[in-house]
Amino acid sequence: MNEIMAAQEKFAELIRSEYERIERMKADQEVKDFSKLDKIVVGILPGDGIGPIIMKQALRVLNTLVKEEIAAGKIELREIEGMTIENRAAKLQSLPDEVFEEVKKCDVIIKGPMVTPRAGEPWPNLLSANSLLRRGLELFAAVRPIRIPDKGIDWTFFRENIEGEYIWGNKGIQVNEDLAVDFKVQTKQGSERIARQAFEFARKNGKKNVTIVTKANIVKLVDGNFIKAVRKVGEEYPEIEIQERLVDAMSAKMLDPEFNKGIEVIVLPNLYGDIVTDIAAEHQGGLGTASSSNIGNQYAMFEAIHGTAPFLINHGRGDYADPCSLIRAVGMMLAHIGYGDRKEKLERALDICTVTERKLVVTTDKDGASAAEFTDYLIDTIESL
Ligand code: IPM
Ligand code: MN
């Protein structure tokens, strides 16, 4: 009986904290206008493993694309120290306070992959730094583009980035040895704001379809409410058609032209978005080819979606890691702060270097080009455009 009361009390505490978060979401309506800033500060978090190696190359590309703006002081690149697994473990803080203070002084962040320790690894059991940054900066939209031109696929995923299984992820209740309970949480505010991002994107980019992916046949309440919220926001965008897919079928059949008919913009809850975007990235050419933006009203963070690649580091092949994911993240960042033309230039150069010309190819083996050699080639190509 005591067990039940203890679990009830913990649950009540969680619900109370959610009321407060909902009030904060209601208050967080103002959107930062980058065109009104004299200077945009880009914070750099290199991360762990191959992170610093590919970040170095991504920054060379960034310096090439906005050389003049940096020289004129319109864009400042600011490296933030201390966000390494060694420092985080020593402090027993996944996102050390002093690092987070520096992060909040920036406008946007470029982030390399970071270690999230798992049980059995020689690090303390820290929380995911990624989740903490997303939550701390209210980065509620993970925007993940996937292009597979020969299959006619040009999709943009809008993954809700804070709620679902993630928001109380480390707050589950171990009632007793036999029984554990985790939670899935969805708020109306959280669902509506991701929906709005998806529809706005669709409208601005001439897309005609928003597809909602859930498991609403089973997860009746939170997925059902998610659909309701998306459809309600969708009423303000009558020119955009809405369709629904179930997440299991979407995972299995996303390449089937009958099944994926009409899909352009996809909006989905957090965990489904995590899994489905990995599958889609594999079809695109591998996790290493994909990048993601994490967008909030005030801040935004741009990253690769792969991990720290300990396998490459342990085999002495870190310098041969593919920097393209983080380089693409740089492109997304530039578009977000108002330099869409530079992103397009970068995309054109990447198409030449990785699809049409391919003078140098990164294989992540020593027989391929190193990250630095590939980036030399890419920068030469950008400068020739
Ligand atoms: C991602 C990652 C993260 C997630 C991890 C690192 C917390 O897999 O960005 O997709 O699960 O969201
Ligand atoms: Mn993931």
Side-chain angles (χ1 to χ4, degrees):
M1 208 47 198
N2 277 345
E3 285 170 1
I4 296 179
M5 279 167 62
Q8 278 178 331
E9 187 38 47
K10 210 173 159 197
F11 184 52
E13 200 43 56
L14 286 169
I15 302 252
R16 270 182 226 120
S17 70
E18 212 54 20
Y19 276 52
E20 286 162 25
R21 203 174 62 80
I22 289 173
E23 289 311 312
R24 285 205 303 278
M25 276 192 275
K26 287 186 189 161
D28 174 36
Q29 296 295 335
E30 199 190 315
V31 180
K32 184 181 279 180
D33 181 352
F34 289 99
S35 68
K36 298 233 160 69
L37 300 181
D38 295 331
K39 178 166 82 175
I40 299 171
V41 180
V42 181
I44 312 291
L45 293 171
D48 303 304
I50 61 167
I53 296 170
I54 58 176
M55 183 65 82
K56 188 170 165 200
Q57 303 310 325
L59 292 181
R60 288 178 61 209
V61 174
L62 179 55
N63 272 297
T64 306
L65 288 166
V66 283
K67 200 182 293 163
E68 279 152 30
E69 288 76 6
I70 292 175
K74 283 198 208 152
I75 296 179
E76 179 192 331
L77 306 188
R78 189 182 291 174
E79 180 153 347
I80 299 171
E81 281 171 20
M83 199 59 184
T84 59
I85 184 64
E86 292 80 8
N87 187 45
R88 296 190 289 130
K91 295 250 161 69
L92 284 181
Q93 272 192 313
S94 191
L95 174 58
D97 296 336
E98 68 278 10
V99 173
F100 192 45
E101 284 313 307
E102 289 307 309
V103 164
K104 283 191 287 186
K105 291 180 196 155
C106 304
D107 298 299
V108 294
I109 301 287
I110 303 179
K111 177 189 151 298
M114 290 169 188
V115 170
T116 305
R118 270 174 272 193
E121 288 182 342
W123 302 109
N125 187 17
L126 297 175
L127 299 175
S128 153
N130 234 334
S131 295
L132 293 177
L133 281 163
R134 289 171 187 170
R135 212 178 303 169
L137 301 174
E138 284 289 331
L139 307 176
F140 59 84
V143 187
R144 301 187 164 184
I146 293 289
R147 278 177 58 216
I148 311 174
D150 58 342
K151 298 219 155 45
I153 287 175
D154 182 1
W155 295 342
T156 309
F157 285 91
F158 283 78
R159 162 187 174 190
E160 199 291 316
N161 210 20
I162 291 181
E163 302 193 340
E165 289 83 349
Y166 283 66
I167 186 79
W168 294 355
N170 58 332
K171 296 181 181 143
I173 302 178
Q174 187 78 49
V175 180
N176 56 34
E177 204 183 282
D178 298 328
L179 179 62
V181 185
D182 271 317
F183 299 97
K184 171 163 175 163
V185 180
Q186 202 70 43
T187 63
K188 188 172 86 175
Q189 289 73 14
S191 306
E192 286 182 359
R193 65 184 181 177
I194 186 68
R196 195 165 295 288
Q197 288 270 332
F199 284 107
E200 277 299 311
F201 172 88
R203 177 171 278 172
K204 283 195 192 116
N205 291 279
K207 308 283 184 196
K208 294 274 164 277
N209 180 290
V210 167
T211 300
I212 315 170
V213 173
T214 66
K215 187 73 184 174
N217 52 340
I218 301 300
V219 188
K220 304 267 186 213
L221 284 178
V222 296
D223 284 7
N225 287 351
F226 185 83
I227 292 175
K228 228 189 273 170
V230 176
R231 287 196 173 276
K232 176 163 166 257
V233 172
E235 286 170 11
E236 295 167 41
Y237 302 81
E239 78 277 19
I240 297 167
E241 168 197 83
I242 300 175
Q243 64 182 7
E244 291 178 27
R245 292 284 183 270
L246 291 173
V247 64
D248 47 351
M250 178 72 187
S251 305
K253 290 167 113 40
M254 63 171 72
L255 295 187
D256 176 340
E258 270 306 304
F259 180 87
N260 71 24
K261 207 186 251 149
I263 294 183
E264 290 181 318
V265 175
I266 299 143
V267 62
L268 69 185
N270 204 346
L271 185 60
Y272 306 145
D274 178 43
I275 297 166
V276 172
T277 58
D278 264 21
I279 299 172
E282 275 300 295
H283 291 310
Q284 174 180 258
L287 286 188
T289 63
S291 47
S292 174
S293 44
N294 299 270
I295 310 284
N297 290 336
Q298 291 305 310
Y299 297 99
M301 182 169 83
F302 302 83
E303 59 181 342
I305 77 169
H306 57 70
T308 57
F311 180 83
L312 290 185
I313 296 289
N314 295 340
H315 289 78
R317 284 161 43 203
D319 288 339
Y320 294 83
D322 190 344
C324 283
S325 53
L326 207 52
I327 290 173
R328 284 184 205 279
V330 160
M332 294 175 99
M333 184 279 286
L334 287 173
H336 186 73
I337 64 173
Y339 295 95
D341 57 327
R342 308 313 152 85
K343 176 181 182 239
E344 272 162 33
K345 193 170 185 184
L346 173 62
E347 296 284 335
R348 264 189 290 144
L350 278 166
D351 268 354
I352 294 171
C353 296
T354 64
V355 184
T356 52
E357 192 181 73
R358 297 179 92 222
K359 264 202 231 154
L360 286 179
V361 180
V362 178
T363 62
T364 76
D365 254 315
K366 290 185 181 169
D367 60 356
S370 69
E373 287 163 350
F374 175 81
T375 307
D376 291 342
Y377 170 37
L378 180 66
I379 289 175
D380 284 348
T381 309
I382 293 171
E383 282 171 346
S384 73
L385 288 175

